Amino acid sequence: MWKPELLAPAKNLERLKVAIAYGADAIYLGGQKYGLRARADNFTDYELEQAVVFAHQHNAKIYVTLNAFLHDSDFVGLAEYCQFLESIGVDAVIVSDLGVIRAIRNSSNLNIHLSTQASCLNSYAGLLWKQTGVKRLIVGRELTIAEAGAIREKSGIEVEMFTHGAMCMAYSGHCTISNFTAGRDSNRGGCIQSCRLPYHLETEENKSDDLVSFMSSRDLWGIYQIGEFFQHQICSLKIEGRMKSSFYVGLTCKVYRQLIDAYAAGTLNAEMLQVAARELQSVPNRDYFSGSLETPASKDSVFGQLSGINTGTYEYLGLVVDTTPDEIVLQLVEPLALGEEIEIIPFQGEAIRGRVDRLFSITGESVEFMRQDSIVRIPKFSTATKAANIAKYNVVRFKSAVKEVANAI
């Protein structure tokens, strides 16, 4: 049965390898210029070459973002960069700007996907973009799945939709708040997420000292719409998050991979959706909702918390960077002590739970505690089945103490 592509974000090579290991069919990422995530690590030319080689070895594709809105001075070097991307085998580039599309077509044979920033919201626009050489529309997030499907049918061009992750309060991301508050252009990679901040609201009739959050959007999830994506032949389901952790990327890819495959096999059921929802709640989030996937988003889409995001039920502990017949080697992002309960997330199947009863430094010294950013060795958990499922690029988590305290209260 036909399946939509699962498209995941990558901030760097680690995230890329994690996403592919957990089932992503394609990865979108940025180079050092021309993208809208200037604060992400982004990929050097050498890393882009490595990314393409790794992805193609694992039957995955690479899409590079060239989606900033450029001024004339920004075009210097663009033609050469496109020729480089074509030479290393990049599968497509993601573009917002009509002038950039023309420059790409004049300098290379790269496949072009239209960025959601271009705000394609109707079939007439879809047909026009098709005439410019665009191969895929990443439609505006204001559309329902049914509307996106109608565009695909009428324009005869592939349609991709965001199905999970952070949402922007502005129409198709066209926001200029950062320009005025921080002198950074949101549409050229400089967004500082001013919409997430608390504000005082004043009117002629009312002035309040209370801080409110009125522009911060809740996070999107499309787990309950998997069937609709199939029915309307949405070719690619896109996960937002080029600034997110390997924990987020790996677990989100795993959840959507399972749901896509289960629907295609005719085995998707309510219990699987409950498990999927619980797993997605384990990572930090801003209260999930379905966005405009079924009906236009309304006032209940606002995330009312004044700062930060909700703590997930779990915290990210680290990443498996190697295994031996008896041990697991972890790169820690949080401290680890003897006696702690941890969970390793295999690429398939349930989490592998165990207690850390022995802890070693990378040189083999027995220790009781290791700080974050350390590399540690721990014995594999007892059963042979569990040990066999543990592999490089598995993410590791532990229960969130903050969440447990909140639940106890």
Side-chain angles (χ1 to χ4, degrees), residues 217-355:
S217 172
R218 292 165 64 187
D219 285 352
L220 174 70
W221 67 358
I223 57 174
Y224 299 108
Q225 290 79 30
I226 293 296
E228 291 181 56
F229 288 120
F230 272 81
Q231 292 159 22
H232 291 282
Q233 295 188 318
I234 305 304
C235 78
S236 184
L237 307 189
K238 188 171 191 173
I239 298 169
E240 180 277 337
R242 278 197 285 147
M243 302 293 289
K244 302 287 182 67
S245 69
S246 290
F247 177 33
Y248 168 92
V249 170
L251 191 138
T252 307
C253 284
K254 179 178 180 178
V255 166
Y256 281 94
R257 177 79 278 153
Q258 291 175 336
L259 297 182
I260 291 169
D261 291 348
Y263 187 88
T267 58
L268 183 60
N269 56 42
E271 183 180 355
M272 292 184 67
L273 289 170
Q274 289 176 352
V275 172
R278 187 165 60 246
E279 286 294 276
L280 293 175
Q281 293 284 2
S282 74
V283 299
N285 63 83
R286 296 185 183 91
D287 293 343
Y288 294 116
F289 81 129
S290 60
S292 296
L293 294 177
E294 292 185 317
T295 57
S298 59
K299 62 181 180 181
D300 64 353
S301 67
V302 176
F303 179 59
Q305 191 167 301
L306 292 182
S307 63
I309 59 178
N310 291 333
T311 302
T313 54
Y314 284 83
E315 294 183 53
Y316 181 34
L317 176 64
L319 186 70
V320 175
V321 294
D322 200 5
T323 63
T324 71
D326 302 312
E327 290 185 326
I328 307 162
V329 183
L330 298 179
Q331 171 72 56
L332 299 178
V333 298
E334 294 290 342
L336 179 63
L338 280 178
E340 289 200 52
E341 297 276 354
I342 66 173
E343 294 188 4
I344 298 172
I345 311 300
F347 303 136
Q348 297 180 348
E350 296 182 358
I352 301 169
R353 301 172 179 85
R355 183 184 296 273

Side-chain angles (χ1 to χ4, degrees), residues 36-338:
L36 284 177
R37 287 293 181 269
R39 290 184 294 157
D41 290 359
N42 292 319
F43 287 67
T44 64
D45 289 355
Y46 174 69
E47 289 169 337
L48 282 171
E49 292 185 70
Q50 290 183 300
V52 172
V53 170
F54 183 90
H56 289 177
Q57 286 175 344
H58 293 83
N59 299 314
K61 296 179 179 180
I62 295 292
Y63 308 144
V64 176
T65 57
L66 304 179
N67 57 344
F69 288 94
L70 304 188
H71 295 196
D72 275 354
S73 58
D74 298 320
F75 279 80
V76 176
L78 177 61
E80 292 78 10
Y81 189 60
C82 291
Q83 291 162 8
F84 164 72
L85 295 179
E86 184 178 12
S87 73
I88 64 174
V90 165
D91 296 284
V93 289
I94 300 171
V95 187
S96 306
D97 187 299
L98 184 58
V100 174
I101 290 175
R102 174 168 287 185
I104 292 169
R105 294 198 65 197
N106 286 342
S107 60
S108 72
N109 294 307
L110 287 166
N111 289 322
I112 299 172
H113 295 175
L114 185 74
S115 172
T116 189
Q117 297 290 124
S119 195
C120 181
L121 300 172
N122 58 73
S123 57
Y124 296 97
L127 285 166
L128 182 61
W129 287 114
K130 183 179 180 180
Q131 291 174 15
T132 69
V134 167
K135 301 297 184 183
R136 178 187 295 183
L137 305 173
I138 309 169
V139 292
R141 301 194 198 190
E142 297 76 24
L143 290 178
T144 65
I145 299 171
E147 289 172 326
I151 292 174
R152 179 204 59 77
E153 186 174 1
K154 292 175 182 177
S155 65
I157 189 171
E158 291 185 349
V159 167
E160 171 182 312
M161 295 188 78
F162 277 93
T163 188
H164 189 91
M167 295 285 282
C168 179
M169 56 76 64
Y171 207 81
S172 292
H174 297 162
C175 179
T176 57
I177 299 177
S178 293
N179 299 61
F180 293 101
T181 60
R184 291 174 51 167
D185 192 337
S186 301
N187 298 298
R188 299 173 74 199
C191 179
I192 63 168
Q193 296 195 331
S194 302
C195 59
R196 304 297 184 188
L197 301 175
Y199 291 90
H200 293 285
L201 286 185
E202 296 183 12
T203 67
E204 292 181 356
E205 296 80 20
N206 182 46
K207 179 178 180 180
S208 173
D209 291 329
D210 294 335
L211 287 170
V212 295
S213 173
F214 70 103
M215 293 189 291
S216 182
S217 172
R218 292 165 64 187
D219 285 352
L220 174 70
W221 67 358
I223 57 174
Y224 299 108
Q225 290 79 30
I226 293 296
E228 291 181 56
F229 288 120
F230 272 81
Q231 292 159 22
H232 291 282
Q233 295 188 318
I234 305 304
C235 78
S236 184
L237 307 189
K238 188 171 191 173
I239 298 169
E240 180 277 337
R242 278 197 285 147
M243 302 293 289
K244 302 287 182 67
S245 69
S246 290
F247 177 33
Y248 168 92
V249 170
L251 191 138
T252 307
C253 284
K254 179 178 180 178
V255 166
Y256 281 94
R257 177 79 278 153
Q258 291 175 336
L259 297 182
I260 291 169
D261 291 348
Y263 187 88
T267 58
L268 183 60
N269 56 42
E271 183 180 355
M272 292 184 67
L273 289 170
Q274 289 176 352
V275 172
R278 187 165 60 246
E279 286 294 276
L280 293 175
Q281 293 284 2
S282 74
V283 299
N285 63 83
R286 296 185 183 91
D287 293 343
Y288 294 116
F289 81 129
S290 60
S292 296
L293 294 177
E294 292 185 317
T295 57
S298 59
K299 62 181 180 181
D300 64 353
S301 67
V302 176
F303 179 59
Q305 191 167 301
L306 292 182
S307 63
I309 59 178
N310 291 333
T311 302
T313 54
Y314 284 83
E315 294 183 53
Y316 181 34
L317 176 64
L319 186 70
V320 175
V321 294
D322 200 5
T323 63
T324 71
D326 302 312
E327 290 185 326
I328 307 162
V329 183
L330 298 179
Q331 171 72 56
L332 299 178
V333 298
E334 294 290 342
L336 179 63
L338 280 178

